[in-house]
Amino acid sequence: MKNGQIRLRYIKASDIANYERWTTTETEWWNWDAPWEEDDDDDEFFERQKFLLTQEPHFYSKLEIETASGEHIGWVSCYDIDFEDDEVTAVGMNIPAIANRGKGYGAGALTAYMGTLV
């Protein structure tokens, strides 16, 4: 799925190095990722990303954001925010590197992602 400057795709093995960097050294984005929730365990988050590599794509709702030049810059997903009511769902998007923010990648990713949910 493409929208302007970005493409959405399923996770691939080469993305794991980015997730490792984003959970160990480039962690500023955690300040903005659902700050109302309790802190996630970094190792648990990283292990979840590796687990997704073993799953068939249609079994999860997370897509990776890649620029037109092929750089993996983040992800977009939907998830239940009320586990007692599966009608309450949120859409979230993360672009961890500050250098990739403010360029329209997020707007393009959300627009493209919403098109996949219809």
Side-chain angles (χ1 to χ4, degrees):
M1 291 139 277
K2 290 184 178 183
N3 187 323
Q5 304 175 60
I6 62 95
R7 179 174 82 99
L8 299 181
R9 59 166 174 74
Y10 296 116
I11 194 169
K12 56 187 181 182
S14 61
D15 297 337
I16 297 303
N18 291 329
Y19 279 107
E20 184 172 24
R21 187 178 73 252
W22 294 334
T23 58
T24 58
T25 58
E26 294 178 18
T27 60
E28 182 272 346
W29 67 274
W30 278 112
N31 296 329
W32 312 106
D33 184 65
W36 56 88
E37 293 179 2
E38 292 183 27
D39 290 341
D40 264 355
D41 179 308
D42 294 350
D43 291 332
E44 181 181 317
F45 175 81
F46 180 60
E47 290 303 315
R48 261 194 326 257
Q49 307 321 306
K50 291 195 299 188
F51 171 76
L52 289 176
L53 288 170
T54 68
Q55 303 302 298
E56 290 294 323
H58 62 277
F59 288 127
Y60 60 91
S61 59
K62 178 175 166 285
L63 294 172
E64 304 303 314
I65 305 169
E66 184 176 89
T67 65
S69 65
E71 180 187 3
H72 175 230
I73 63 167
W75 63 95
V76 62
S77 63
C78 70
Y79 50 92
D80 292 333
I81 57 173
D82 182 348
F83 293 107
E84 294 177 16
D85 181 357
D86 63 1
E87 297 291 320
V88 181
T89 303
V91 172
M93 185 240 342
N94 289 69
I95 297 178
I98 295 170
N100 288 321
R101 298 181 200 158
K103 297 181 177 183
Y105 296 145
L110 284 175
T111 302
Y113 189 75
M114 295 306 289
T116 71
L117 300 176
V118 181

